Amino acid sequence: MEGATDIFVRLRPRLLGVAYRMLGSLAEAEDVVQDVWLGWNDAEYSQLADPEAWLVTATTRRSIDRLRLARTDREHYVGIWLPEPVLTGESPATPEQLQEASSDLSIAFLTVLERLAPEARAAFLLREVLDTDYDEIARTLDKSEAACRQIVHRARSQLREERPRYVVSAEDHQRLMRRFAQAWSDADLPAMKAMMAESATLVGDGGGIVTSFPKPMVGGERIAQLLFACTLRRKHELRLELASINGRLGVLRYFGDVLESAQSYETDGERIVQIHVQRNPEKLRRISAQQASIPTGVDVYSSNGAFNRTSTIEGAR
């Protein structure tokens, strides 16, 4: 039989995934899971019919409490708040293998979830992402099954128009991102414009620490020109790395040895439709530490347009 520690270690990635999807912050998710671990040590686990259900319930409830507190802080956040990005894929640096095959970790999806109240977010994630039965959701939220069904229904309706609309294969997404990164590093503005949807949007998070846009920028041509202008101003320092960010291929933009932003892209397979740019240094600290040296498994585009593939990109799924 598994001991208490063995059970927790085996389920920790799932618990961390639940907390991260609830909070949009890996640092806060790790704190929640640590709290759950302390409670687990005090629990009579041998008397539990379903230890996994107990742990998921405890994680969800603590995440709801943490999110209620966090939402107050986010109301006073300077500029637009975006989730903390995480590197995903086959790299050993991947935080606890957060991705699960049937789950959605994209920055676009997590950003949309911010529109939901804490309990609604929990019910929606448990049902739509983790495929949890309504009876278990009811026990987790201490509500009736009928109430939980209504919460999930309302959440679906609230998010219907805002959830990412495109289902794009990893291969098509990667192909477009490699073409775009090459055009960007070559300062090829016409090619960059051609790969942007006319109605594309760019959303940035500077956290009041570095400059960013106070509201989304709309228009593919304007966005391409913005990225192009940044390249011209500091072209000798620019380095672009393609990396799997929250399960999809995105861009890490460096100026010299400093990570300036982590950029997550939504595409329709042919053009870029949305970019989320995380510039807040506090939310980039983990990635900066992981990428202290150029790892294997990334495509690197240097400021002179030269391209060096250290190996095939893994894990963009």
Side-chain angles (χ1 to χ4, degrees):
M1 294 180 61
E2 283 185 296
T5 300
D6 294 330
I7 293 172
F8 187 85
V9 169
R10 174 171 59 82
L11 294 174
R12 187 176 185 278
R14 180 176 178 83
L15 305 180
L16 189 60
V18 170
Y20 174 69
R21 290 174 178 86
M22 279 290 296
L23 298 166
S25 165
L26 190 56
E28 292 182 6
E30 289 174 334
D31 288 344
V32 164
V33 173
Q34 180 63 26
D35 288 343
V36 172
W37 163 246
L38 296 177
W40 177 244
N41 279 330
D42 294 332
E44 293 292 338
Y45 79 95
S46 61
Q47 305 300 315
L48 298 174
D50 189 342
E52 180 173 351
W54 189 97
L55 286 166
V56 170
T57 295
T59 300
T60 302
R61 288 176 176 171
R62 283 171 172 77
S63 295
I64 289 172
D65 292 340
R66 179 66 70 97
L67 185 57
R68 284 173 176 151
L69 295 174
R71 285 171 72 88
T72 301
D73 294 335
R74 291 173 192 179
E75 288 175 359
H76 302 287
Y77 194 81
V78 178
I80 300 172
W81 184 93
L82 291 178
E84 175 192 355
V86 295
L87 298 181
T88 50
E90 301 301 323
S91 167
T94 299
E96 298 296 328
Q97 296 295 313
L98 260 180
Q99 74 276 23
E100 294 177 15
S102 62
S103 302
D104 197 327
L105 281 174
S106 75
I107 293 295
F109 180 67
L110 296 178
T111 301
V112 167
L113 289 180
E114 283 296 302
R115 286 139 173 86
L116 298 177
E119 283 193 347
R121 183 166 180 164
F124 182 83
L125 285 171
L126 288 171
R127 181 61 186 169
E128 297 293 299
V129 175
L130 300 178
D131 197 28
T132 304
D133 292 334
Y134 277 107
D135 61 342
E136 187 173 335
I137 297 174
R139 287 193 295 272
T140 298
L141 301 184
D142 196 21
K143 295 181 181 295
S144 68
E145 287 190 41
C148 291
R149 289 179 186 276
Q150 188 64 24
I151 291 171
V152 172
H153 174 73
R154 289 174 179 169
R156 286 195 194 112
S157 299
Q158 187 175 345
L159 301 182
R160 184 174 294 120
E161 298 301 320
E162 300 181 79
R163 292 183 69 180
R165 300 186 300 276
Y166 303 100
V167 179
V168 181
S169 71
E171 292 76 13
D172 287 343
H173 182 84
Q174 288 181 15
R175 190 178 304 111
L176 177 59
M177 289 307 305
R178 289 192 175 103
R179 287 172 51 216
F180 186 74
Q182 187 67 69
W184 189 356
S185 66
D186 289 343
D188 186 345
L189 181 57
M192 293 173 69
K193 289 181 178 180
M195 284 180 270
M196 299 292 300
E198 183 178 348
S199 60
T201 60
L202 182 148
V203 183
D205 178 351
I209 301 172
V210 297
T211 57
S212 189
F213 295 103
K215 59 183 180 180
M217 173 181 281
V218 181
E221 185 169 327
R222 292 178 64 203
I223 295 169
Q225 289 172 336
L226 170 70
L227 299 177
F228 176 76
C230 292
T231 300
L232 289 183
R233 284 197 298 270
R234 303 179 67 178
K235 64 180 180 180
H236 298 300
E237 300 176 88
L238 177 69
R239 187 175 88 244
L240 306 174
E241 292 186 7
L242 290 182
S244 183
I245 302 172
N246 287 66
R248 300 187 182 185
L249 203 61
V251 174
L252 302 178
R253 182 167 72 175
Y254 290 83
F255 288 118
D257 294 326
V258 178
L259 177 62
E260 178 269 345
S261 62
Q263 304 184 8
S264 302
Y265 287 72
E266 296 292 317
T267 77
D268 62 9
E270 297 293 333
R271 284 174 174 68
I272 294 165
V273 299
Q274 192 173 55
I275 308 175
H276 289 91
V277 181
Q278 183 56 257
R279 300 195 66 224
N280 185 337
E282 293 180 358
K283 297 182 184 180
L284 295 175
R285 187 175 295 118
R286 187 185 304 268
I287 292 179
S288 295
Q290 292 172 341
Q291 301 292 88
S293 59
I294 298 176
T296 59
V298 299
D299 290 357
V300 181
Y301 298 78
S302 65
S303 57
N304 62 5
F307 167 59
N308 171 45
R309 177 173 297 163
T310 55
S311 73
T312 304
I313 293 179
E314 300 288 349
R317 57 192 178 189

